[in-house]
Every structure is written in structure tokens, then in C-alpha cells.
Amino acid sequence: MTDLKRMTPKFLLWLDLEMTGLKPASDRIVEVGAIMTDWDFTELGQFESGVHQAESELRTKFGANPWAAARPIETEELIQLSLAAPPEADVEQQVIGLVNNIAGKDAIVLLAGNSIHQDRQFIRAWWPKLEQRLHYRMLDVSAFKVVMQAKYGLEFPKKETHRALGDIEESIAELKFYLEKLGK
């Protein structure tokens, strides 16, 4: 599998996680959205789910999170989504199923998204089976954002919904926006 990890994968796994906070060692995943694309960014499949966590843990961790405290309605929606969701191991397996169905059972895919390094840390901590299917490189749209803002003064207008699938759709649109500007 080492040789496979060196090749550029044919498919991108655009992924976004909503978590109780930003510390992978102690915070938990509460929602996942994933879209598989090719390099033309054609959507080949998608997956969205809450991730079940214990209510007491959710309330404690969100209670200590300033972002969550400032957004009580959105936070409560995430808590309710998590409480009604499948167990974490099942959700991880469903994301792997999406990869298997599109890329193949043994394929390595490239992880893509905005600030995807943060999501990757949570994948490493909580979803080791998915981690094994990911290329060592990642496509981080945030890097494009930094260059385009600093060098060209261009900014992609984002809605900032902070829901997994919507955030991924915005990330794909944002990268297309920057690549179009660079192409001209």
C-alpha cells in the first residue's frame, strides 16, 4: 500500500466535520459531511450524518466552547442531531463505504476541504480505519484563500453555515472560484 500512497489519487474525498471543540484528544465529532469528486470536481456521491455522542459529554464540551455559547440555537441543533445519530463506528464505516463504492475497496483518496488539517487530526484520533484510506497529502482550500486574499485581494463570499455538507459544497465552489480567477 506504500506505493499506492505515493501516486496522486484519482478521487477527492471532500470532508467536513462539526465537533464539540478543536482538541482532537478530548473533543468529539458530532456531524460529518462528505462528497466524492474527480479532479473536474464532478460530484460522484455524497454522505451526511450526525455522529452519536453521550448527551452529558456533548453538553459539557459545548458548554466550555465559546463558539457554541455564542450560537445556542445552532449548538442545540447539533446536540439533537448527535443524540439521534448512529454510533460513531457505524458512521466511520459508512464514510468508508462511500469511498469503496466510488474509488474501489483498496483505493487511496485525497482528503480535501477548508482547514482540512483540523478535520484530519480528528480522523486520526477517532476514525483510524478511514485514516488508512487517505493519501498523505491533502488539498486545503484555505491555502488558496490565503494566497488569493494577500496577493490579489480576492475573497470568496461565504455563508458560514457551519453545517458539514453545506460547508463542503462551499469549499468546492470556493476552489473553483480561485482556479477560475487564476486561469484568466
Side-chain angles (χ1 to χ4, degrees), residues 13-112:
L13 175 62
W14 294 84
L15 189 128
D16 186 69
L17 302 174
E18 298 302 326
M19 300 86 72
T20 59
L22 297 177
K23 298 175 185 167
S26 59
D27 283 305
R28 300 306 303 262
I29 300 167
V30 296
E31 183 184 28
V32 59
I35 295 176
M36 291 277 297
T37 72
D38 57 19
W39 282 98
D40 290 324
F41 310 122
T42 302
E43 184 176 319
L44 305 170
Q46 67 173 247
F47 174 76
E48 178 180 32
S49 180
V51 179
H52 185 80
Q53 305 296 345
E55 184 171 9
S56 60
E57 187 173 22
L58 290 169
R59 297 212 180 271
T60 299
K61 292 184 182 307
F62 275 132
N65 179 332
W67 181 92
R71 295 162 182 81
I73 294 170
E74 293 94 333
T75 299
E76 189 59 33
E77 287 174 357
L78 285 172
I79 289 170
Q80 295 308 313
L81 175 70
S82 177
L83 294 175
E88 189 159 27
D90 292 354
V91 175
E92 178 188 18
Q93 196 54 50
Q94 289 174 320
V95 175
I96 293 169
L98 173 70
V99 172
N100 289 346
N101 289 339
I102 293 167
K105 187 178 169 212
D106 296 321
I108 299 297
V109 295
L110 193 79
L111 189 63

Side-chain angles (χ1 to χ4, degrees), residues 8 17 19 28 35 52 80 83 87 93 114 127 131 135 140 151-152 156-157 160:
T8 301
L17 302 174
M19 300 86 72
R28 300 306 303 262
I35 295 176
H52 185 80
Q80 295 308 313
L83 294 175
Q93 196 54 50
N114 255 305
W127 294 357
E131 170 67 21
H135 194 272
D140 194 336
K151 188 161 179 67
Y152 302 108
F156 180 77
E160 302 288 341

Side-chain angles (χ1 to χ4, degrees), residues 101-164:
N101 289 339
I102 293 167
K105 187 178 169 212
D106 296 321
I108 299 297
V109 295
L110 193 79
L111 189 63
N114 255 305
S115 299
I116 199 66
H117 65 281
Q118 185 67 35
D119 300 86
R120 184 77 180 249
Q121 290 178 41
F122 276 82
I123 292 168
R124 281 189 184 119
W126 298 106
W127 294 357
K129 291 175 186 170
L130 179 59
E131 170 67 21
Q132 292 175 353
R133 300 296 302 279
L134 302 177
H135 194 272
Y136 69 95
R137 291 183 174 151
M138 297 180 286
L139 176 57
D140 194 336
V141 177
S142 302
F144 282 85
K145 180 190 319 261
V146 169
V147 172
M148 298 304 278
Q149 286 176 351
K151 188 161 179 67
Y152 302 108
L154 289 172
E155 190 165 343
F156 180 77
K158 292 186 77 167
K159 296 175 189 164
E160 302 288 341
T161 61
H162 296 291
R163 292 302 300 266

